[in-house]
């Protein structure tokens, strides 16, 4: 589409490039050819504003008046990045400096604070499951009641994800972080009042508050990475943010069996040990909530990347949360990723929740070892997450990496399933580590892949929907696997997960890879948004130089 500043646009001197408006660029034209046409005038099929004739202007005006073909979902969303009124300037064109970009040192503080309070939240998720038999005896409830202390995290996420992501998109990163940290702290203190045998409902109430806090936590890693970190470190930052949650789960496997040993013959001692664990957790959560209030900021002074700069220049009034959700669900690659992410992450949640029951079925009285096996599973996953983050930042190969990790996770699940009952705990440690390395390492891959294929949609919304799918599959898988484990054997429950993960491999192979954010950052034409680099910018310091000339173009669907 050609946009004219006024009726006298044709009177511009030859060779004078327009500072406002758009230049029609055929979808297949390389950036170099575009630059040549700016200098040498129009060619067949392309209308420029250099020495344009009145007949051409008339044809353009007639085309502008004709009804336009509706845009595809992705195109409709990306138009938010383009100026819409005559007074607006196209970023990076002549006469308008390229957006300043810089990396703020505070980004590490923000990432550390988030990772730590996410750690505490994950610890509170798993602290009951790993010693489920101890809490069953203390509160006098069934194993299903204890399982629900873990599954409530998954259940709460599903209905609350939409208001939570709306809040993130409209009220910002800082408020969402404060809610997550504050509710996590409140839930921890409520559980301190539940250390009596008849107060199971109080510990459930505290766990419900922590589960609501989780809604404001799980969707932030990719948002924090995008807002605060540069293109060469964004995937590593996302993996590190996810790492905090994984480390919390690892500590949740390790500490509860040590802090609360199985002393059901001495109820007073057992209550004292549970109280120690609860009060210690609440003290750490309070300290981290205080740090979040004083040190967690909304965003840096300068955007860290060209992709973020383009989003920040987008007029806020044009953003529609409902429209964004609708566009995401009309994005076929994202929908496929939504299902596959839900399957593999839901399987991990199910295995983590039921690990104690599976281990104790074959290894009686091995509560401490069950916790250590869970620790091995999660720590291996932490290593996998960081390595995957580094790999993505280095190669930007998203789909291939995602597919390979998915296949290896499936193979790890098969090996774990058929070696669990061999009677050798060392084998379970090794197979659990292999399973965790790939299955948990997949988490940041899914987040980053989603951001790439849905840009410029909000990172919080895409991540939130991925987590919602994970919670739904997690609840269904935990209930189904728990039933199969109880009625038949742990092997039956694990085979059930293997079948679903094999389906996930097939769906992952069907995902079309379209790295929109990456292409904007490196200045390669991508759909409706094209960036033509002139020379490299310095990423770690602000610059006012005209270092990039960005041509934002819209492929016309009507003849001009």
């Amino acid at each position: 589409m050609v946009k004219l500043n006024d009726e006298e646009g044709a009177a511009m001197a030859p060779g004078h490039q327009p500072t406002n408006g758009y230049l029609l660029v055929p979808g297949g034209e390389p950036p170099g050819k575009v630059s040549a046409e700016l200098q040498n005038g129009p060619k067949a099929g392309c209308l420029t504003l250099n020495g344009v004739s009145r007949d051409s202007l008339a044809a353009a005006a007639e085309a502008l008046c004709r009804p336009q073909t509706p845009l595809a979902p992705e195109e409709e969303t990306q138009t938010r990045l383009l100026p819409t009124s005559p007074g607006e300037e196209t970023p990076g064109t002549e006469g308008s400096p390229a957006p300043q970009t810089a990396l703020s040192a505070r980004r590490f503080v923000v990432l550390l604070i988030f990772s730590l309070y996410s750690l505490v939240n994950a610890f509170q998720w798993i602290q009951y499951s790993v010693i489920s038999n101890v809490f069953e005896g203390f509160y006098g409830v069934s194993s299903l009641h204890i399982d629900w202390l873990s599954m409530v995290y998954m259940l709460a996420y599903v209905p609350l994800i939409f208001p939570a992501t709306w809040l993130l998109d409209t009220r910002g990163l800082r408020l969402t972080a404060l809610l997550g940290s504050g509710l996590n702290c409140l839930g921890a203190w409520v559980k301190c009042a539940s250390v009596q045998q008849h107060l199971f409902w109080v510990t459930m109430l505290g766990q419900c508050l922590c589960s609501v806090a989780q809604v404001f936590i799980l969707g932030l890693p990719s948002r924090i990475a995008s807002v605060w970190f540069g293109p060469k470190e964004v995937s590593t930052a996302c993996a590190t943010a996810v790492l905090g949650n994984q480390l919390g789960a690892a500590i949740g496997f390790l500490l509860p069996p040590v802090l609360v040993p199985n002393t059901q013959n001495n109820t007073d001692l057992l209550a004292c040990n549970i109280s120690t664990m609860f009060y210690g957790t609440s003290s750490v959560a309070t300290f981290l909530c205080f740090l979040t209030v004083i040190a967690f900021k909304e965003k840096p002074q300068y955007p860290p990347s060209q992709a973020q700069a383009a989003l920040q220049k987008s007029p806020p009034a044009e953003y529609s949360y409902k429209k964004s959700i609708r566009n995401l669900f009309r994005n076929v690659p994202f929908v496929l990723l939504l299902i596959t992410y839900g399957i593999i992450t839901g399987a991990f949640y199910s295995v983590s929740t039921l690990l104690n029951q599976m281990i104790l079925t074959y290894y009686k009285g091995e509560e401490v070892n069950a916790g250590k096996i869970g620790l091995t599973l999660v720590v291996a996953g932490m290593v996998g997450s960081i390595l995957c983050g580094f790999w993505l930042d280095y190669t930007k190969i998203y789909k291939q990496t995602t597919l390979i990790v998915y296949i290896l996770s499936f193979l790890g699940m098969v090996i774990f399933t058929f070696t669990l009952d061999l009677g050798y705990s060392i084998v379970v440690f090794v197979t659990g580590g292999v399973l965790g390395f790939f299955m948990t390492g997949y988490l940041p891959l899914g987040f980053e892949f989603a951001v790439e294929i849905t840009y410029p949609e909000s990172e919080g919304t895409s991540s939130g929907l991925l987590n919602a799918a994970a919670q739904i599959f997690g609840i269904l898988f935990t209930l189904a696997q728990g039933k199969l484990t109880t009625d038949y054997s742990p092997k039956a429950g694990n085979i059930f997960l293997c079948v679903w993960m094999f389906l996930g491999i097939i769906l992952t192979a069907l995902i079309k890879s379209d790295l929109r954010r990456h292409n904007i950052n490196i200045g390669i034409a991508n759909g409706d948004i094209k960036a033509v680099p002139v020379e490299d910018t310095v990423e770690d310091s602000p610059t006012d130089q005209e270092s990039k000339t960005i041509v934002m173009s819209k492929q016309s669907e009507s003849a001009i």
Side-chain angles (χ1 to χ4, degrees), residues 57-394:
L57 276 178
E62 181 182 352
L64 286 171
C65 295
R66 288 199 299 263
Q68 301 298 311
T69 305
L71 300 178
E74 298 84 355
E75 294 174 333
E76 187 177 359
T77 305
Q78 291 184 12
T79 57
R80 295 206 311 266
L81 299 180
L82 303 176
T84 56
S85 63
E88 297 182 27
E89 293 183 349
T90 305
T93 53
E94 185 176 345
S96 175
Q100 297 179 351
T101 61
L103 297 180
S104 168
R106 183 184 285 271
R107 69 192 188 279
F108 298 112
V109 176
V110 171
L111 183 62
L112 178 63
I113 292 174
F114 170 79
S115 297
L116 289 176
Y117 78 71
S118 177
L119 179 154
V120 175
N121 185 259
F123 173 83
Q124 296 192 84
W125 162 57
I126 208 68
Q127 66 181 161
Y128 294 99
S129 297
V130 72
I131 49 174
S132 57
N133 57 322
V134 174
F135 280 104
E136 287 173 32
F138 180 76
Y139 287 116
V141 295
S142 67
S143 61
L144 183 60
H145 284 80
I146 302 302
D147 289 345
W148 270 109
L149 287 171
S150 174
M151 289 191 293
V152 70
Y153 264 59
M154 310 175 202
L155 183 65
Y157 198 93
V158 178
L160 296 178
I161 179 57
F162 293 106
T165 52
W166 174 85
L167 189 73
L168 175 62
D169 291 346
T170 58
R171 296 296 182 265
L173 190 59
R174 175 175 163 81
L175 178 60
T176 306
L178 289 174
L179 284 173
S181 183
L183 288 171
N184 190 51
C185 174
L186 179 61
W189 280 109
V190 169
K191 287 193 280 190
C192 291
S194 69
V195 191
Q196 294 185 40
Q197 291 183 286
H198 65 286
L199 293 180
F200 175 78
W201 68 272
V202 177
T203 206
M204 176 60 82
L205 175 62
Q207 193 73 340
C208 287
L209 290 172
C210 293
S211 68
V212 175
Q214 179 211 214
V215 181
F216 298 101
I217 294 174
L218 288 188
L220 294 191
S222 57
R223 181 63 169 265
I224 291 174
S226 296
V227 171
W228 284 90
F229 289 82
K232 295 182 180 179
E233 57 187 13
V234 63
S235 296
T236 304
C238 181
T240 304
V242 173
L243 183 72
N245 200 267
Q246 296 171 353
L247 182 59
I251 297 174
F253 279 114
L254 178 65
L255 282 186
V258 176
L259 296 176
V260 188
N262 193 355
T263 57
Q264 297 189 40
N265 55 337
N266 188 338
T267 304
D268 291 337
L269 178 60
L270 184 58
C272 180
N273 291 334
I274 294 174
S275 181
T276 299
M277 181 173 68
F278 284 168
Y279 274 102
T281 305
S282 58
S283 299
V284 175
T286 302
F287 174 68
L288 293 174
C289 183
F290 176 72
L291 286 182
T292 306
V293 171
I294 64 174
F296 200 103
K297 301 300 181 183
E298 178 68 30
K299 62 181 179 180
Q301 180 180 1
Y302 298 100
S305 66
Q306 293 296 332
Q308 273 299 303
L311 288 177
Q312 291 181 16
K313 280 186 171 292
S314 175
E318 293 185 3
Y319 175 74
S320 167
Y321 179 72
K322 291 182 180 179
K323 189 176 181 180
S324 178
I325 294 290
R326 188 165 59 248
N327 286 333
L328 286 174
F329 279 109
R330 292 163 64 186
N331 185 329
V332 175
F334 176 73
V335 172
L336 290 174
L337 182 62
L338 194 67
I339 298 171
T340 58
Y341 184 91
I343 290 173
I344 193 170
T345 311
F348 169 71
Y349 289 163
S350 182
V351 170
S352 300
T353 301
L354 301 173
L355 184 64
N356 178 265
Q357 297 177 32
M358 289 190 285
I359 299 300
L360 294 184
T361 299
Y362 300 114
Y363 305 89
K364 303 294 183 182
E366 296 284 342
E367 290 91 352
V368 174
N369 259 347
K372 291 180 179 179
I373 291 170
L375 174 66
T376 302
L377 187 147
V378 178
V379 169
M382 292 161 52
V383 176
S385 293
I386 291 297
L387 291 179
C388 288
F390 279 127
W391 175 255
L392 286 185
D393 279 332
Y394 179 72

